[in-house]
Amino acid sequence: LMTGSLDWIYLVPPDQAEKLAQIPSLTVTPAETMRIGYLVFDAANRSGKEHGMDNPYVKLKVRQAINYAINRDSIVRNLLGGQSRAIYSACFPSQFGCEQNVKQYKYNPAKAKKLLAEAGYPNGFETILYGYRDRPFAEAMISDLAAVGIKAKLMILKYAALRERGRSGRGQMQFLTWGSYSINDVSAITSHFFEFEADDLARDPVVKDLLIEADTSIDPSKRKKLYSEALKRIADQAYWCPMFTYVSNNCYSKDLDFTPYPDAVPRFFQAKWK
């Protein structure tokens, strides 16, 4: 790209994108994508029922405390940059049915400590945070958790190994991401994780029934209402800790007229030379 033998590349790491942005012949667009990062908890207590493990995440106040403990804005500002933003609903904002008027756990470590104490953990507890990518993001979360008394050890696994651990009920808290296959509808994310399938760690029958009814309806207003109810309940119960949207750094020649889209599908048929 720097020598002119390429006209466009994307998914460039932030540090490299910053260097490329300093080159006069190039344009760098840090465009938001539909991929989101989130924490998921073993709220259904599969780890306790099937493996006899102590599981603090069955307690609502613990899950809520973690939501309050994570400084989303700091991670967005310092680690992702570009068009990334903090999120609070279990979906990407532009997706059909992605209700934004849900309970928002704004960064509040004092409130997190209070909730932990009320849940029976005045001194916090020790745990493991499982992940498969973006170690710096996970380390920032661990620092935030430590500040409220939760001592989390980071364990990075290959994605397949992490998925198997979660599905077998042995991953109590996981840092995951999801891109919805570039489908701009919450059925591609929320419905995948909350309908009692392999990746559902909440197993909430109320949420499941709402989502299934919404998925199978052809009435847009009905679908939107049902998805709204489901997402509000997911937030109220803090089954997830939605955190931020991801960014794809698009780097290309200044002579190229190119527009990136949130689904991260490069539309070359729309591109043209200036």
Side-chain angles (χ1 to χ4, degrees), residues 3 32 45 69 122 148 168 178 182-183 197 215 233 244 248 250 273:
T3 61
E32 183 182 51
N45 197 28
V148 301
S168 64
W178 191 255
S182 299
I183 298 172
E197 299 297 331
D215 292 346
R233 180 171 175 83
F244 45 75
S248 170
N250 294 259
W273 297 112

Side-chain angles (χ1 to χ4, degrees), residues 37-227:
Y38 61 95
L39 294 177
V40 59
F41 313 108
D42 179 23
N45 197 28
R46 290 187 60 193
S47 58
K49 294 173 184 174
E50 300 173 19
H51 304 287
M53 301 166 63
D54 179 48
N55 181 13
Y57 304 104
V58 296
K59 297 184 177 182
L60 171 60
K61 288 184 177 180
V62 169
R63 302 193 301 269
Q64 290 178 325
I66 292 173
N67 269 266
Y68 280 119
I70 301 298
N71 192 340
R72 296 164 175 81
D73 291 328
S74 177
I75 295 174
V76 164
R77 182 173 60 253
N78 296 308
L79 298 177
L80 285 121
Q83 297 173 5
S84 175
R85 53 180 153 164
I87 59 169
Y88 298 90
S89 193
C91 46
F92 179 74
S94 76
Q95 288 178 306
F96 178 88
C98 186
E99 176 64 72
Q100 298 298 295
N101 186 25
V102 301
K103 183 176 179 64
Q104 296 195 0
Y105 300 88
K106 299 288 188 178
Y107 178 56
N108 191 331
K111 195 163 189 176
K113 289 181 181 180
K114 182 174 182 293
L115 285 166
L116 285 173
E118 292 173 359
Y121 299 98
N123 300 315
F125 56 88
E126 294 185 3
T127 190
I128 297 175
L129 172 60
Y130 292 96
Y132 74 102
R133 61 181 288 173
D134 304 317
R135 179 182 287 271
F137 301 176
E139 289 174 344
M141 298 168 209
I142 284 178
S143 177
D144 288 341
L145 293 174
V148 301
I150 299 175
K151 305 169 191 68
K153 176 183 176 182
L154 178 61
M155 187 168 291
I156 298 290
L157 305 174
K158 295 289 187 181
Y159 177 70
L162 177 58
R163 181 181 59 194
E164 177 57 32
R165 175 170 285 274
R167 288 179 175 181
S168 64
R170 293 178 294 122
Q172 293 184 334
M173 179 168 62
Q174 303 170 57
F175 165 40
L176 299 174
T177 77
W178 191 255
S180 297
Y181 305 105
S182 299
I183 298 172
N184 206 28
D185 190 285
V186 297
S187 61
I189 178 169
T190 318
S191 298
H192 175 85
F193 289 102
F194 290 94
E195 291 186 1
F196 283 41
E197 299 297 331
D199 294 320
D200 185 353
L201 303 190
R203 306 283 164 146
D204 185 325
V206 175
V207 173
K208 180 193 75 169
D209 290 347
L210 287 167
L211 292 174
I212 289 176
E213 187 177 355
D215 292 346
T216 54
S217 172
I218 59 172
D219 181 343
S221 60
K222 180 180 179 181
R223 292 186 72 218
K224 189 171 288 189
K225 179 177 180 296
L226 291 165
Y227 284 138

